[in-house]
Amino acid sequence: TYDEWEAQIHKRIKGDPVWKFLGYRKAMFLYDLTWEDCHPLRGDYRGRAVVDQLIRSAGSICANIEEGTGRGFQGKEYTYYLRLALGSARETKGWYYRARQLLSPPILEHRLKLLDEIISLLLNQMKYHKNMKP
């Protein structure tokens, strides 16, 4: 579960300012799940074609949030990187759907629901920062 996952995260990761954003935490959780999901996908030649794209796009969500946060919490640069993360989240959702024949229905449903949550959190964060005054 998410709570079990979060409990085992290293204190240096939890102490970073980016950890305050729930969308980042959920994206990190998704990446770890995606890592595990790649094992059954690699067992089928069709799944192997999806694995590289899936792990890259899932990792890109976190990486773009990290880079944007590293450039500051305000301004156009931060929202630019949130937009990149949003694009990666939508791409990841598409790759999960394309891999649906090789994933169990409960896993697919969970991942798509988690991605919907991440997308919503990113959109809300972008809206919040767009309306902030410098």
Side-chain angles (χ1 to χ4, degrees):
T1 68
Y2 174 80
D3 292 333
E4 293 168 336
W5 172 86
E6 187 174 26
Q8 58 83 35
I9 297 298
H10 195 282
K11 65 182 178 181
R12 292 193 181 272
I13 300 298
K14 287 182 175 180
D16 195 287
V18 71
W19 190 257
K20 293 177 184 174
F21 175 37
L22 179 60
Y24 174 73
R25 297 193 309 266
K26 294 287 185 158
M28 290 286 282
F29 177 53
L30 172 73
Y31 184 81
D32 283 356
L33 294 173
T34 302
W35 185 272
E36 294 301 317
D37 293 341
C38 286
H39 294 295
L41 293 174
R42 291 185 65 202
D44 183 288
Y45 76 93
R46 296 161 295 185
R48 286 192 292 272
V50 173
V51 165
D52 185 56
Q53 294 291 337
L54 184 60
I55 201 73
R56 284 176 188 236
S57 63
S60 182
I61 303 166
C62 310
N64 280 299
I65 297 169
E66 291 160 349
E67 188 163 357
T69 302
R71 294 173 184 267
F73 284 105
Q74 295 190 20
K76 292 180 182 179
E77 277 190 286
Y78 180 63
T79 55
Y80 168 76
Y81 284 98
L82 290 178
R83 281 196 319 273
L84 292 177
L86 177 63
S88 294
R90 289 191 166 132
E91 179 184 356
T92 304
K93 188 175 177 182
W95 283 114
Y96 262 108
Y97 185 73
R98 286 186 283 281
R100 70 191 178 278
Q101 289 88 354
L102 298 172
L103 297 169
S104 72
I107 286 178
L108 179 63
E109 180 62 28
H110 180 264
R111 302 313 183 257
L112 294 177
K113 183 178 177 186
L114 180 57
L115 279 154
D116 284 344
E117 183 180 1
I118 292 166
I119 289 167
S120 177
L121 289 164
L122 285 165
L123 288 169
N124 286 337
Q125 186 82 334
M126 290 167 59
K127 185 185 298 184
Y128 172 78
H129 282 277
K130 182 182 178 186
N131 293 328
M132 281 184 72
K133 301 291 184 213

